[in-house]
Amino acid sequence: MTPLPTPATGQAMPTALTFVQRFSSTPRGARLARLLVLHQLDAWGVSHGSQASDSVAVLVAELAANAVTHGRVPGRDFELAVRLLGRTLRIEVSDARGERRPLVPGVTAPAPLAEGGRGLLLVEALADRWEVLDRFPVGKTVVAELDLPH
């Protein structure tokens, strides 16, 4: 995947590829999101079964499951956007429940006997960076970034 040179300077332009799709807020929608992202990554040159592909599979599965479980509003879908920006893969999962925000990354851990909050420990472990952003006009977006190997 070599960037095309600009006609004027002969220098390479940065590559930015994007996949954006809305899915039903159901377990089936979350599964479909994971499968389609893995297919798209393979088309972009990130091979199935590679460490990066496996990490993205877990990240998308966890974030999509959280959107379906905790961010669901009846009749509203969740949105998944995956952007390949050079060697950084950015995963964005948006839902309609802005008032139900996950724990703050790197600051708040789930209580030892809590029934929830452990899935984001996977996100914390696999992603190089992650954060929660407000989504306008309603909702939130959880963003996870993964630095791909050269």
Side-chain angles (χ1 to χ4, degrees), residues 114-128:
E115 292 184 18
R118 286 191 172 68
L120 289 175
L121 293 175
L122 293 172
V123 174
E124 178 103 16
L126 292 173
D128 292 301

Side-chain angles (χ1 to χ4, degrees), residues 2 5 16 18 35 47 52 54 57 83 95 97 99-100 102 108 121:
T2 305
T18 302
L35 293 173
S47 302
D54 290 347
R83 303 175 202 291
D95 64 51
R97 298 282 304 261
E99 75 282 3
R100 295 193 67 185
T108 312
L121 293 175

Side-chain angles (χ1 to χ4, degrees), residues 10-130:
Q11 294 178 343
M13 292 173 33
T15 302
L17 302 170
T18 302
F19 170 82
V20 180
Q21 180 74 44
R22 288 185 181 229
F23 296 93
S24 63
S25 290
T26 63
R28 186 176 183 178
R31 181 176 182 270
L32 182 60
R34 180 181 55 83
L35 293 173
L36 287 178
V37 164
L38 292 177
H39 179 74
Q40 185 62 59
L41 287 179
D42 192 54
W44 288 345
V46 180
S47 302
H48 282 289
S50 67
Q51 183 177 352
S53 178
D54 290 347
S55 293
V56 170
V58 173
L59 289 168
V60 170
E62 180 57 34
L63 296 177
N66 283 352
V68 167
T69 305
H70 306 294
R72 183 176 185 277
V73 172
R76 302 287 300 270
D77 296 337
F78 74 93
E79 183 177 270
L80 170 69
V82 178
R83 303 175 202 291
L84 183 58
L85 309 163
R87 300 307 303 164
T88 299
L89 188 74
R90 182 178 173 99
I91 302 163
E92 304 171 5
V93 177
S94 301
D95 64 51
R97 298 282 304 261
E99 75 282 3
R100 295 193 67 185
R101 299 176 74 84
L103 301 173
V104 177
V107 175
T108 312
L113 299 177
E115 292 184 18
R118 286 191 172 68
L120 289 175
L121 293 175
L122 293 172
V123 174
E124 178 103 16
L126 292 173
D128 292 301
R129 294 162 297 285
W130 74 282

